[in-house]
Coordinates of all heavy atoms in Angstrom, one line a residue:
M1 N -16.5 -12.5 -16.1 CA -16.6 -11.3 -15.3 C -15.6 -11.3 -14.2 O -15.6 -12.2 -13.3 CB -18.0 -11.0 -14.8 CG -18.3 -9.6 -14.5 SD -20.0 -9.2 -14.6 CE -20.7 -10.2 -13.3
G2 N -14.7 -10.4 -14.1 CA -13.7 -10.4 -13.1 C -14.1 -9.7 -11.8 O -15.2 -9.4 -11.6
V3 N -13.1 -9.6 -10.9 CA -13.4 -8.9 -9.6 C -13.6 -7.5 -9.9 O -12.9 -6.9 -10.7 CB -12.1 -9.1 -8.7 CG1 -12.4 -8.5 -7.4 CG2 -11.8 -10.6 -8.6
N4 N -14.5 -6.9 -9.2 CA -14.8 -5.4 -9.4 C -13.8 -4.6 -8.5 O -14.1 -4.3 -7.3 CB -16.2 -5.1 -9.0 CG -16.5 -3.7 -9.3 OD1 -15.8 -3.0 -10.0 ND2 -17.6 -3.2 -8.7
T5 N -12.6 -4.3 -9.0 CA -11.7 -3.5 -8.3 C -11.8 -2.1 -8.7 O -12.3 -1.8 -9.8 CB -10.2 -4.0 -8.6 OG1 -10.0 -3.8 -9.9 CG2 -10.0 -5.4 -8.1
N6 N -11.4 -1.2 -7.9 CA -11.4 0.2 -8.1 C -10.2 0.6 -8.9 O -9.1 0.1 -8.5 CB -11.5 0.9 -6.8 CG -11.6 2.4 -6.9 OD1 -11.0 3.0 -7.8 ND2 -12.3 3.0 -6.0
N7 N -10.2 1.4 -10.0 CA -9.0 1.7 -10.7 C -8.2 2.8 -10.1 O -7.1 3.1 -10.6 CB -9.4 2.1 -12.2 CG -10.2 1.1 -12.9 OD1 -10.0 -0.1 -12.7 ND2 -11.0 1.5 -13.8
D8 N -8.7 3.5 -9.1 CA -8.0 4.6 -8.5 C -6.6 4.2 -8.0 O -6.4 3.1 -7.5 CB -8.8 5.2 -7.3 CG -10.0 5.9 -7.8 OD1 -10.2 6.0 -9.0 OD2 -10.8 6.3 -6.9
F9 N -5.7 5.1 -8.1 CA -4.4 4.9 -7.6 C -4.3 5.4 -6.2 O -5.0 6.3 -5.8 CB -3.3 5.6 -8.5 CG -3.1 5.0 -9.8 CD1 -3.9 5.3 -10.9 CD2 -2.1 4.0 -10.0 CE1 -3.7 4.7 -12.2 CE2 -1.9 3.4 -11.2 CZ -2.7 3.8 -12.3
I10 N -3.5 4.8 -5.4 CA -3.1 5.3 -4.1 C -1.6 5.7 -4.2 O -0.8 5.1 -4.8 CB -3.5 4.4 -2.9 CG1 -2.5 3.3 -2.7 CG2 -4.9 3.9 -3.0 CD1 -2.5 2.8 -1.3
V11 N -1.3 6.8 -3.6 CA 0.0 7.4 -3.6 C 0.6 7.3 -2.2 O -0.1 7.7 -1.2 CB 0.0 8.9 -4.0 CG1 1.4 9.5 -4.0 CG2 -0.6 9.0 -5.4
I12 N 1.8 6.7 -2.1 CA 2.4 6.6 -0.8 C 3.8 7.2 -0.9 O 4.6 6.9 -1.7 CB 2.6 5.1 -0.5 CG1 1.3 4.3 -0.5 CG2 3.4 4.9 0.9 CD1 1.3 3.0 -1.2
K13 N 4.0 8.2 0.0 CA 5.3 8.9 0.0 C 6.0 8.6 1.4 O 5.4 8.9 2.4 CB 5.1 10.4 -0.2 CG 6.5 11.1 -0.2 CD 6.3 12.6 -0.5 CE 7.7 13.3 -0.5 NZ 7.6 14.7 -0.7
A14 N 7.1 8.0 1.3 CA 7.8 7.6 2.6 C 8.4 8.9 3.3 O 9.0 9.7 2.7 CB 9.0 6.7 2.3
A15 N 8.1 8.9 4.6 CA 8.6 10.1 5.4 C 9.9 9.7 6.2 O 10.4 10.5 6.9 CB 7.5 10.6 6.3
E16 N 10.3 8.4 6.0 CA 11.5 7.9 6.7 C 12.1 6.8 5.8 O 11.4 6.3 4.9 CB 11.2 7.5 8.1 CG 10.3 6.3 8.2 CD 10.0 5.8 9.6 OE1 10.4 6.5 10.6 OE2 9.4 4.7 9.7
D17 N 13.3 6.4 6.1 CA 13.9 5.2 5.4 C 13.2 4.0 5.8 O 12.8 3.8 7.0 CB 15.4 5.1 5.7 CG 16.2 6.2 5.0 OD1 15.6 6.9 4.1 OD2 17.4 6.3 5.3
G18 N 13.1 3.0 4.9 CA 12.6 1.7 5.3 C 11.1 1.5 5.5 O 10.7 0.6 6.2
V19 N 10.4 2.3 4.8 CA 8.9 2.1 4.9 C 8.5 0.9 4.0 O 9.1 0.8 2.9 CB 8.2 3.4 4.4 CG1 6.7 3.1 4.2 CG2 8.4 4.6 5.3
N20 N 7.7 0.1 4.5 CA 7.3 -1.1 3.8 C 5.8 -1.0 3.3 O 4.9 -0.6 4.0 CB 7.3 -2.4 4.7 CG 8.7 -3.0 4.6 OD1 9.1 -3.5 3.6 ND2 9.4 -2.9 5.8
V21 N 5.7 -1.2 2.0 CA 4.3 -1.3 1.4 C 4.1 -2.7 1.1 O 4.8 -3.3 0.3 CB 4.3 -0.4 0.1 CG1 2.9 -0.5 -0.5 CG2 4.7 1.0 0.4
I22 N 3.1 -3.3 1.7 CA 2.8 -4.7 1.7 C 1.5 -5.0 1.0 O 0.5 -4.4 1.4 CB 2.9 -5.3 3.1 CG1 4.2 -5.1 3.7 CG2 2.6 -6.8 3.0 CD1 4.2 -5.2 5.2
G23 N 1.5 -5.8 -0.1 CA 0.3 -6.2 -0.7 C -0.3 -7.5 -0.2 O 0.5 -8.4 0.0
L24 N -1.6 -7.5 0.1 CA -2.2 -8.7 0.6 C -3.2 -9.3 -0.4 O -3.8 -8.5 -1.1 CB -3.0 -8.4 1.9 CG -2.1 -8.1 3.1 CD1 -1.9 -6.6 3.2 CD2 -2.6 -8.6 4.4
T25 N -3.2 -10.6 -0.5 CA -3.9 -11.3 -1.5 C -5.4 -11.1 -1.4 O -6.0 -11.0 -0.3 CB -3.6 -12.8 -1.5 OG1 -3.9 -13.3 -0.2 CG2 -2.2 -13.0 -1.9
R26 N -6.1 -11.2 -2.5 CA -7.5 -11.2 -2.6 C -8.0 -12.7 -2.6 O -7.3 -13.6 -3.1 CB -8.0 -10.6 -3.9 CG -9.5 -10.3 -4.0 CD -9.9 -9.6 -5.3 NE -9.3 -8.3 -5.3 CZ -9.9 -7.2 -4.7 NH1 -10.9 -7.4 -3.9 NH2 -9.3 -6.0 -4.8
G27 N -9.1 -12.9 -2.0 CA -9.7 -14.3 -2.0 C -9.8 -14.9 -0.6 O -9.7 -14.1 0.4
T28 N -10.0 -16.2 -0.5 CA -10.3 -16.8 0.8 C -9.1 -16.8 1.7 O -9.2 -16.7 2.9 CB -10.7 -18.3 0.6 OG1 -9.7 -18.9 -0.3 CG2 -12.1 -18.4 -0.1
D29 N -7.9 -16.7 1.0 CA -6.7 -16.7 1.8 C -6.1 -15.3 1.8 O -5.8 -14.8 0.7 CB -5.8 -17.7 1.0 CG -4.5 -18.0 1.7 OD1 -4.5 -18.0 2.9 OD2 -3.5 -18.2 1.0
T30 N -5.9 -14.7 2.9 CA -5.4 -13.3 3.0 C -4.0 -13.4 3.5 O -3.7 -13.7 4.7 CB -6.2 -12.4 3.9 OG1 -7.6 -12.5 3.4 CG2 -5.7 -11.0 3.8
R31 N -3.0 -13.2 2.6 CA -1.6 -13.3 3.0 C -0.8 -12.3 2.2 O -1.2 -11.7 1.2 CB -1.1 -14.7 2.7 CG -1.2 -15.1 1.3 CD -0.6 -16.5 1.0 NE -1.0 -16.8 -0.4 CZ -0.5 -16.3 -1.5 NH1 0.5 -15.5 -1.4 NH2 -1.0 -16.6 -2.7
F32 N 0.4 -12.0 2.7 CA 1.3 -11.1 2.1 C 1.8 -11.7 0.7 O 2.1 -12.9 0.7 CB 2.6 -10.9 2.9 CG 2.4 -10.1 4.2 CD1 1.2 -9.8 4.7 CD2 3.6 -9.7 4.9 CE1 1.1 -9.0 5.9 CE2 3.4 -8.9 6.0 CZ 2.2 -8.6 6.5
H33 N 1.8 -10.9 -0.3 CA 2.3 -11.5 -1.6 C 3.4 -10.6 -2.1 O 4.1 -11.0 -3.0 CB 1.2 -11.6 -2.7 CG 0.6 -10.4 -3.2 ND1 1.3 -9.5 -4.0 CD2 -0.6 -9.8 -2.9 CE1 0.5 -8.5 -4.3 NE2 -0.6 -8.6 -3.6
H34 N 3.5 -9.4 -1.6 CA 4.6 -8.5 -2.1 C 4.9 -7.5 -1.1 O 4.1 -6.9 -0.4 CB 4.1 -7.8 -3.4 CG 5.2 -7.0 -4.1 ND1 6.0 -7.5 -5.0 CD2 5.6 -5.7 -3.8 CE1 6.9 -6.6 -5.4 NE2 6.6 -5.5 -4.7
S35 N 6.2 -7.2 -0.9 CA 6.6 -6.2 0.0 C 7.6 -5.3 -0.7 O 8.6 -5.8 -1.4 CB 7.3 -6.8 1.2 OG 7.8 -5.8 2.1
E36 N 7.4 -4.0 -0.7 CA 8.2 -3.0 -1.4 C 8.8 -2.1 -0.3 O 8.1 -1.6 0.5 CB 7.4 -2.2 -2.3 CG 8.1 -1.5 -3.4 CD 8.7 -2.4 -4.4 OE1 8.2 -3.4 -4.8 OE2 9.9 -2.0 -4.8
K37 N 10.1 -1.9 -0.3 CA 10.7 -1.0 0.6 C 11.0 0.4 0.0 O 11.6 0.5 -1.0 CB 12.0 -1.6 1.2 CG 12.5 -0.9 2.4 CD 13.5 -1.8 3.2 CE 12.9 -2.6 4.3 NZ 13.8 -3.4 5.1
L38 N 10.5 1.4 0.7 CA 10.8 2.8 0.2 C 11.7 3.5 1.2 O 11.5 3.4 2.4 CB 9.4 3.6 0.1 CG 8.3 3.0 -0.7 CD1 7.1 4.0 -0.7 CD2 8.7 2.8 -2.1
D39 N 12.6 4.3 0.7 CA 13.4 5.2 1.5 C 12.8 6.6 1.5 O 11.9 6.9 0.7 CB 14.9 5.2 1.0 CG 15.6 3.9 1.5 OD1 15.2 3.3 2.5 OD2 16.6 3.6 0.8
K40 N 13.2 7.4 2.5 CA 12.6 8.7 2.6 C 12.6 9.5 1.3 O 13.5 9.6 0.6 CB 13.5 9.5 3.6 CG 12.9 10.9 4.0 CD 13.6 11.5 5.1 CE 12.9 12.9 5.4 NZ 13.2 13.4 6.6
G41 N 11.4 10.0 1.0 CA 11.2 10.8 -0.2 C 10.7 10.0 -1.4 O 10.2 10.6 -2.3
E42 N 10.9 8.7 -1.3 CA 10.4 7.8 -2.4 C 8.9 7.7 -2.4 O 8.3 7.7 -1.4 CB 11.1 6.5 -2.3 CG 12.6 6.5 -2.7 CD 13.2 5.1 -2.7 OE1 12.8 4.2 -2.0 OE2 14.2 5.0 -3.5
V43 N 8.4 7.6 -3.6 CA 7.0 7.5 -3.8 C 6.6 6.2 -4.5 O 7.3 5.8 -5.4 CB 6.5 8.8 -4.7 CG1 5.1 8.6 -5.1 CG2 6.7 10.1 -3.9
M44 N 5.5 5.6 -4.1 CA 5.0 4.5 -4.8 C 3.5 4.8 -5.1 O 2.8 5.3 -4.3 CB 5.1 3.2 -3.9 CG 4.6 2.0 -4.7 SD 5.1 0.5 -3.8 CE 4.0 -0.7 -4.6
I45 N 3.2 4.5 -6.4 CA 1.8 4.7 -6.8 C 1.3 3.3 -7.1 O 1.9 2.5 -7.9 CB 1.8 5.6 -8.1 CG1 2.5 6.9 -7.8 CG2 0.4 5.8 -8.6 CD1 2.9 7.7 -9.0
A46 N 0.1 2.9 -6.5 CA -0.3 1.5 -6.6 C -1.9 1.5 -6.7 O -2.6 2.5 -6.4 CB 0.1 0.7 -5.4
Q47 N -2.3 0.4 -7.2 CA -3.8 0.1 -7.3 C -4.2 -1.2 -6.6 O -3.3 -2.0 -6.4 CB -4.1 -0.1 -8.8 CG -4.1 1.2 -9.6 CD -4.4 0.8 -11.1 OE1 -3.6 0.1 -11.7 NE2 -5.4 1.4 -11.6
F48 N -5.5 -1.3 -6.3 CA -6.0 -2.5 -5.9 C -6.3 -3.3 -7.1 O -6.8 -2.7 -8.1 CB -7.3 -2.3 -5.0 CG -7.0 -1.7 -3.7 CD1 -7.0 -0.3 -3.5 CD2 -6.5 -2.5 -2.6 CE1 -6.7 0.3 -2.3 CE2 -6.2 -1.9 -1.4 CZ -6.3 -0.6 -1.3
T49 N -6.0 -4.5 -7.2 CA -6.2 -5.4 -8.4 C -6.9 -6.7 -8.1 O -7.3 -6.9 -6.9 CB -4.8 -5.7 -9.0 OG1 -4.1 -6.6 -8.0 CG2 -3.9 -4.5 -9.1
E50 N -7.0 -7.5 -9.1 CA -7.5 -8.8 -9.0 C -6.7 -9.6 -7.9 O -7.3 -10.5 -7.3 CB -7.4 -9.5 -10.4 CG -7.9 -10.8 -10.5 CD -7.5 -11.4 -11.9 OE1 -7.0 -10.7 -12.8 OE2 -7.7 -12.7 -12.0
H51 N -5.4 -9.3 -7.8 CA -4.6 -10.0 -6.9 C -4.4 -9.4 -5.5 O -4.0 -10.0 -4.6 CB -3.2 -10.2 -7.5 CG -3.3 -10.9 -8.9 ND1 -3.7 -12.2 -9.0 CD2 -3.0 -10.4 -10.1 CE1 -3.6 -12.5 -10.3 NE2 -3.3 -11.4 -11.0
T52 N -4.7 -8.1 -5.5 CA -4.4 -7.3 -4.3 C -5.7 -6.7 -3.7 O -6.3 -5.9 -4.4 CB -3.4 -6.2 -4.6 OG1 -2.2 -6.7 -5.2 CG2 -3.0 -5.4 -3.3
S53 N -6.1 -7.2 -2.5 CA -7.3 -6.6 -1.9 C -7.0 -5.6 -0.8 O -7.9 -4.9 -0.4 CB -8.1 -7.8 -1.3 OG -7.5 -8.4 -0.2
A54 N -5.8 -5.6 -0.3 CA -5.5 -4.7 0.8 C -4.0 -4.4 0.8 O -3.2 -5.1 0.2 CB -5.8 -5.4 2.2
I55 N -3.7 -3.2 1.3 CA -2.3 -2.8 1.3 C -2.0 -2.3 2.7 O -2.7 -1.5 3.3 CB -2.1 -1.6 0.3 CG1 -2.5 -2.0 -1.1 CG2 -0.7 -1.0 0.4 CD1 -2.5 -0.9 -2.1
K56 N -0.9 -2.9 3.2 CA -0.5 -2.5 4.6 C 0.8 -1.7 4.5 O 1.7 -2.0 3.7 CB -0.2 -3.8 5.4 CG 0.3 -3.5 6.8 CD 0.4 -4.8 7.6 CE 1.1 -4.5 8.9 NZ 1.0 -5.7 9.8
I57 N 0.8 -0.6 5.2 CA 2.0 0.3 5.2 C 2.6 0.3 6.6 O 1.9 0.6 7.6 CB 1.6 1.7 4.7 CG1 1.2 1.6 3.2 CG2 2.8 2.7 4.8 CD1 0.2 2.5 2.7
R58 N 3.8 0.0 6.6 CA 4.5 -0.1 7.9 C 5.6 1.0 7.9 O 6.5 0.9 7.0 CB 5.1 -1.5 8.1 CG 5.7 -1.8 9.4 CD 6.2 -3.2 9.5 NE 5.2 -4.1 10.0 CZ 5.1 -5.4 9.8 NH1 6.0 -6.0 9.1 NH2 4.2 -6.1 10.4
G59 N 5.6 1.9 8.8 CA 6.6 3.0 8.8 C 5.9 4.3 8.6 O 4.6 4.4 8.4
K60 N 6.6 5.4 8.7 CA 6.0 6.7 8.6 C 5.9 7.1 7.1 O 6.9 7.2 6.4 CB 6.9 7.7 9.4 CG 6.3 9.1 9.6 CD 7.1 9.9 10.6 CE 6.7 11.4 10.6 NZ 5.3 11.7 10.6
A61 N 4.7 7.4 6.7 CA 4.4 7.8 5.3 C 3.2 8.6 5.2 O 2.3 8.6 6.1 CB 4.3 6.5 4.5
L62 N 3.2 9.3 4.1 CA 2.0 10.1 3.7 C 1.2 9.3 2.6 O 1.8 8.9 1.6 CB 2.4 11.5 3.2 CG 1.2 12.3 2.6 CD1 0.3 12.7 3.8 CD2 1.8 13.6 2.0
I63 N -0.1 9.0 2.9 CA -0.8 8.2 2.0 C -2.0 9.0 1.4 O -2.8 9.6 2.2 CB -1.4 7.0 2.7 CG1 -0.2 6.2 3.3 CG2 -2.2 6.1 1.8 CD1 -0.4 5.6 4.6
Q64 N -2.1 9.1 0.1 CA -3.2 9.8 -0.5 C -4.1 8.9 -1.3 O -3.6 8.1 -2.1 CB -2.7 10.9 -1.5 CG -1.9 12.0 -0.8 CD -1.3 13.0 -1.7 OE1 -0.8 12.6 -2.8 NE2 -1.3 14.3 -1.4
T65 N -5.4 8.9 -1.0 CA -6.3 8.1 -1.8 C -7.5 8.9 -2.2 O -7.6 10.1 -1.7 CB -6.9 6.9 -0.9 OG1 -7.8 7.5 0.0 CG2 -5.8 6.2 -0.1
G66 N -8.4 8.4 -3.0 CA -9.6 9.1 -3.3 C -10.5 9.3 -2.1 O -11.4 10.1 -2.2
H67 N -10.2 8.7 -1.0 CA -11.0 8.9 0.2 C -10.4 9.9 1.1 O -10.9 10.3 2.2 CB -11.1 7.6 1.0 CG -11.8 6.5 0.2 ND1 -13.2 6.4 0.1 CD2 -11.3 5.5 -0.5 CE1 -13.5 5.4 -0.7 NE2 -12.3 4.8 -1.0
G68 N -9.2 10.4 0.7 CA -8.6 11.4 1.5 C -7.1 11.1 1.8 O -6.6 10.2 1.1
E69 N -6.6 11.8 2.7 CA -5.1 11.7 3.0 C -4.9 11.3 4.4 O -5.7 11.8 5.3 CB -4.6 13.1 2.7 CG -3.1 13.2 2.7 CD -2.7 14.6 2.3 OE1 -2.7 15.0 1.1 OE2 -2.3 15.4 3.2
I70 N -3.9 10.5 4.7 CA -3.7 10.0 6.0 C -2.2 9.8 6.2 O -1.5 9.5 5.2 CB -4.5 8.8 6.4 CG1 -4.5 8.5 7.9 CG2 -4.0 7.6 5.6 CD1 -5.6 7.6 8.3
E71 N -1.7 10.0 7.4 CA -0.3 9.7 7.7 C -0.2 8.5 8.6 O -0.9 8.3 9.6 CB 0.3 10.9 8.5 CG 0.9 11.9 7.5 CD 1.5 13.1 8.3 OE1 2.3 12.9 9.2 OE2 1.1 14.2 8.0
S72 N 0.6 7.6 8.2 CA 0.9 6.4 9.0 C 2.1 6.8 9.9 O 2.9 7.7 9.6 CB 1.3 5.2 8.2 OG 2.4 5.5 7.4
E73 N 2.2 6.2 11.1 CA 3.2 6.5 12.1 C 3.9 5.2 12.5 O 3.4 4.1 12.3 CB 2.6 7.2 13.3 CG 1.9 8.5 13.0 CD 0.9 8.9 14.1 OE1 1.3 8.8 15.2 OE2 -0.2 9.2 13.7
T74 N 5.0 5.4 13.2 CA 5.6 4.3 13.9 C 5.3 4.3 15.4 O 5.2 5.4 15.9 CB 7.1 4.3 13.6 OG1 7.6 5.6 13.7 CG2 7.4 3.7 12.3
K75 N 5.2 3.2 15.9 CA 5.0 3.0 17.4 C 6.3 3.5 18.1 O 7.4 3.2 17.7 CB 4.8 1.5 17.6 CG 4.4 1.2 19.0 CD 3.8 -0.2 19.0 CE 4.8 -1.3 19.2 NZ 4.1 -2.6 19.5
K76 N 6.1 4.3 19.2 CA 7.2 4.8 19.9 C 7.8 3.7 20.9 O 7.0 3.0 21.5 CB 6.9 6.0 20.7 CG 6.2 7.1 19.9 CD 7.0 8.3 19.6 CE 6.7 9.0 18.3 NZ 5.3 9.2 18.0
Ligands
LIG101 N1 1.2 -8.0 -9.0 C1 0.5 -7.2 -8.0 C2 -1.0 -7.0 -8.4 O1 -1.2 -6.9 -9.6 C3 1.2 -5.8 -7.9 C4 0.5 -4.9 -7.0 C5 -0.6 -4.1 -7.3 C6 0.9 -4.5 -5.6 N2 -0.9 -3.3 -6.3 C7 -0.1 -3.5 -5.2 C8 1.9 -4.9 -4.8 C9 0.0 -2.9 -4.0 C10 2.0 -4.3 -3.5 C11 1.0 -3.3 -3.1 O2 -1.8 -7.1 -7.6

C-alpha cells in the first residue's frame, strides 16, 4: 500500500519571468528535489506524488487548486 496522495492537479501560471516551482520530498527528510523555471505566461500542471509532498512557488504566479485560487507575490 503506497502513500495516499491526492490525484488532483494544481495549475501554476507565471505572471512574470523566472518563477520557480520547487518540489519538496516526502518522508522524514524534507528537501528540494526539483526546480522548474517558468517565464511569463507559461503554465505548469503538477500533482502531489509519492515523491513530492509540498510545492513551493517563488515569484509572481496564479495558482489554482481544488481548494481555490491564490496569487503568489514577490517581496518588495
Ligand atoms: N518526479 C517528481 C514526482 O513524481 C515530479 C513532480 C511531481 C514534481 N510533482 C511535482 C516536481 C511538483 C516539482 C513540483 O514527484
